[in-house]
Amino acid sequence: MAKYILHSIIPTLRVPEPISCGPIVFCTTQHLADYAIEPDVDAETVKKIATSFRDAFGKPLEYIGLELVPTDTAARLAEESLGRVSRDALAMSFITGGAAQNSHREQRVAVHETDYFDVLPVLLRDDGLVINRPGLLSYNNTSSLDRFQPSLRIDIGIPSESDFKLDTMLFSAFSKAVEATLAGQYLQQLRQIYRAVAISLWGCRILHETDTTFYDLTTRIGAWVSAFETLVHPDSGRVGINHVLNLVDEVTWFDERLVEKSFPSNSSENANGLENAPAYLYRSLYGLRNDLAHGNPIVRGRFAARCDSAEGARIDEVIPLLFRECLLQQLRNIGVINRVIQNPQDYDSIRESVSHTLRAMDYHEALADAMFGDGEA
């Protein structure tokens, strides 16, 4: 049996079965019997930590989430920070899955915030704790595992497995990216992509203010623009809005509402003066970021993802769906995953093309519904 090191504890992660990003495994304490944990942190120690957790009302958690790293590749994984990369990939794949699920509902029900994938800020070593947060270091007693009683943040509570909707297509692409990194392939390009994903997760954090204003969203909106620009940053020179719009234009869209170019564009590179809905959405995000960052007047409708209404989801709740497509397209561009097959001829190509289309359609439809309204043309 392969041996694993406990890399991190993710208290609120809920997965019905273990899932892997390359060689890295995400599971819960319910699955521990299936894995051989290295003796410096044995299964009993992990169980002890798990049973120590309490929610905000003192109720113990039944189980917690874990990230396991195989010992035989631990050094290489650490060299490229792939433990963190895989956790970011997991978070983004659940966020895009949640965003697609939520776009079809009036109430936001699926997990779509980064906070649910935060790790316990301690390391377990030799039956004790290594604490790496100043707030915890002030409590000398917490160095003892017997006295350690971790609790969850009151604003996230305990989700259920049904609250997590995994974007399997995106997570599979991330898994291939991690495998490519381990093989020493596309290193510069993948490091740039990992950096973009890490930035994007700051655009998905819970807003903690009890009386949130439009201007409290400045950091969130700014993080998304930074993530897009980091994703497409050229090898030399500066990046700008047209770099992102060019990548958006490369995506093959499977919802006709996203294909039609019916929105006015002020880009000098656009000959007919029109652009499609995804390009319009990013241009709206970019303009909103600029106005927020510079203190310009903002009206409520600027935050809406809808093209024709100030109602519905906010733009920062929908933008993960656009980022998903740009991320997948960039992974295609560098060769990590296959490009979308245009006009397939043989059986295998047709099957691959149909499979890709069916898996992508739900996310494209979700983006179109958020922009145009459910089922409206």
Side-chain angles (χ1 to χ4, degrees), residues 122-373:
V122 300
L123 300 175
L124 303 180
R125 292 293 181 269
D126 298 326
D127 221 25
L129 303 179
V130 178
I131 300 171
N132 61 1
R133 293 289 177 89
L136 290 176
L137 285 171
S138 62
Y139 295 94
N140 294 328
N141 289 339
T142 55
S143 61
S144 169
L145 186 59
D146 293 331
R147 299 180 184 182
F148 186 62
Q149 292 188 338
S151 60
L152 298 180
R153 282 171 27 191
I154 193 171
D155 55 341
I156 61 176
I158 305 176
S160 65
E161 289 179 0
S162 61
D163 294 326
F164 289 87
K165 307 296 180 183
L166 182 65
D167 182 343
T168 55
M169 185 176 180
L170 181 60
F171 192 64
S172 174
F174 274 125
S175 185
K176 291 178 180 178
V178 169
E179 294 283 8
T181 303
L182 285 172
Q185 300 173 325
Y186 321 115
L187 290 181
Q188 182 177 346
Q189 299 98 317
L190 285 174
R191 287 167 184 159
Q192 192 73 13
I193 288 174
Y194 298 153
R195 180 181 173 186
V197 173
I199 296 170
S200 74
L201 294 178
W202 283 101
C204 303
R205 299 201 74 86
I206 293 174
L207 294 168
H208 295 290
E209 293 77 7
T210 55
D211 55 347
T212 301
T213 68
F214 292 154
Y215 299 97
D216 295 320
L217 292 165
T218 301
T219 302
R220 228 182 189 202
I221 299 297
W224 276 115
V225 173
S226 179
F228 276 98
E229 292 189 344
T230 300
L231 184 66
V232 301
H233 203 291
D235 294 336
S236 60
R238 300 172 67 88
V239 69
I241 185 173
N242 285 332
H243 289 92
V244 179
L245 294 176
N246 289 340
L247 182 62
V248 171
D249 195 52
E250 292 178 25
V251 177
T252 300
W253 300 101
F254 295 107
D255 189 299
E256 61 181 11
R257 293 171 291 177
L258 302 178
V259 175
E260 185 179 358
K261 295 189 175 183
S262 57
F263 293 89
S265 167
N266 58 8
S267 173
S268 58
E269 297 184 6
N270 200 324
N272 62 6
L274 297 175
E275 61 190 6
N276 61 19
Y280 170 83
L281 182 66
Y282 182 75
R283 192 181 294 279
S284 299
L285 179 81
Y286 186 85
L288 179 60
R289 188 282 305 264
N290 290 346
D291 285 340
L292 285 169
H294 296 290
N296 298 333
I298 300 288
V299 296
R300 180 173 178 266
R302 291 286 301 283
F303 290 89
R306 285 286 295 267
C307 303
D308 57 355
S309 172
E311 305 301 322
R314 290 197 316 263
I315 191 170
D316 57 297
E317 296 174 321
V318 174
I319 209 68
L321 296 173
L322 179 60
F323 186 73
R324 171 192 192 271
E325 301 307 323
C326 291
L327 180 58
L328 288 170
Q329 186 60 40
Q330 199 71 322
L331 288 171
R332 294 185 191 103
N333 289 346
I334 67 175
V336 172
I337 59 176
N338 293 333
R339 291 181 176 274
V340 179
I341 301 173
Q342 305 291 346
N343 302 317
Q345 302 297 320
D346 60 89
Y347 174 77
D348 288 339
S349 296
I350 292 173
R351 184 176 61 179
E352 182 179 346
S353 178
V354 170
S355 175
H356 171 84
T357 302
L358 292 175
R359 296 171 71 190
M361 279 182 63
D362 186 52
Y363 291 89
H364 294 192
E365 182 181 302
L367 179 59
D369 285 350
M371 295 191 68
F372 295 96

Side-chain angles (χ1 to χ4, degrees), residues 42-81:
D42 60 26
E44 289 303 316
T45 303
V46 177
K47 288 180 180 178
K48 194 167 187 177
I49 284 287
T51 55
S52 298
F53 267 93
R54 299 289 186 273
D55 66 13
F57 299 96
K59 181 181 177 181
L61 274 64
E62 293 182 22
Y63 56 93
I64 58 175
L66 308 171
E67 180 182 15
L68 306 179
V69 171
T71 57
D72 57 352
T73 56
R76 176 61 177 150
L77 290 166
E79 183 181 335
E80 293 291 339
S81 300

